[in-house]
Amino acid sequence: MEGSAKIQRDGDVAAVTLQFAGFGTVTGTVLDDQGQPALGANVVLGAKRLDLTLCTFFQEPVAQLVQTGQDGTFSFERIPVGKVSVSASTVFFPVPATARDTLLFDGDSRHFTLNLTSSTPGELSGTVFLPDGVTPSGPGVSVTASS
């Protein structure tokens, strides 16, 4: 937003026209760890938010929230020009995938592809050997794994 006025002396009144930089669109696709569309992923947009009472923008960590459709896509419209971020997660992929960029001018758009990474525990298996490194140990061996 830009505007200026010049006041010559005490008591003068000046009118200012504020020009907003414009609005853009943020779209994208969320994919699971197999490269398939992630249905119902929560997508959070971080962007500027207009405060009409103060006639100014605030950079908000969470400006909007949507869920992806069956095809894994999402869309945010009328996003103020400036820095934007998107992050996506699901119950099965709780670690958010995040991306950032900037809407540069009125009508600009940005498309993101967010790839979710599995953090679900896997399976650990193996054989415990006696100190000779050849003979498998017998029953009663306790194994602890940590990460």
Side-chain angles (χ1 to χ4, degrees):
M1 157 171 64
E2 293 181 24
S4 65
K6 189 172 185 178
I7 297 178
Q8 299 292 331
R9 59 190 159 281
D10 191 25
D12 281 356
V13 176
V16 176
T17 301
L18 296 176
Q19 180 73 34
F20 291 99
F23 298 89
T25 303
V26 174
T27 60
T29 305
V30 180
L31 303 173
D32 65 18
D33 61 346
Q34 303 297 310
Q36 299 300 310
L39 165 66
N42 294 315
V43 182
V44 178
L45 171 77
K48 290 181 181 179
R49 180 183 55 84
L50 178 61
D51 184 326
L52 293 173
T53 59
L54 299 176
C55 197
T56 190
F57 284 104
F58 293 101
Q59 189 72 32
E60 292 290 316
V62 176
Q64 294 182 39
L65 170 68
V66 297
Q67 286 190 318
T68 58
Q70 287 185 324
D71 58 357
T73 63
F74 63 88
S75 179
F76 298 99
E77 297 184 12
R78 297 207 36 84
I79 306 306
V81 167
K83 294 178 183 178
V84 295
S85 66
V86 290
S87 63
S89 63
T90 70
V91 172
F92 301 107
F93 299 97
V95 178
T98 303
R100 292 174 173 74
D101 208 338
T102 303
L103 294 171
L104 298 173
F105 52 86
D106 189 37
D108 196 9
S109 65
R110 291 293 179 263
H111 184 85
F112 298 94
T113 300
L114 300 172
N115 295 292
L116 299 173
T117 303
S118 177
S119 61
T120 305
E123 182 179 305
L124 180 63
S125 64
T127 303
V128 177
F129 294 97
L130 294 177
D132 67 7
V134 178
T135 309
S137 69
V141 173
S142 177
V143 176
T144 303
S146 63
S147 63

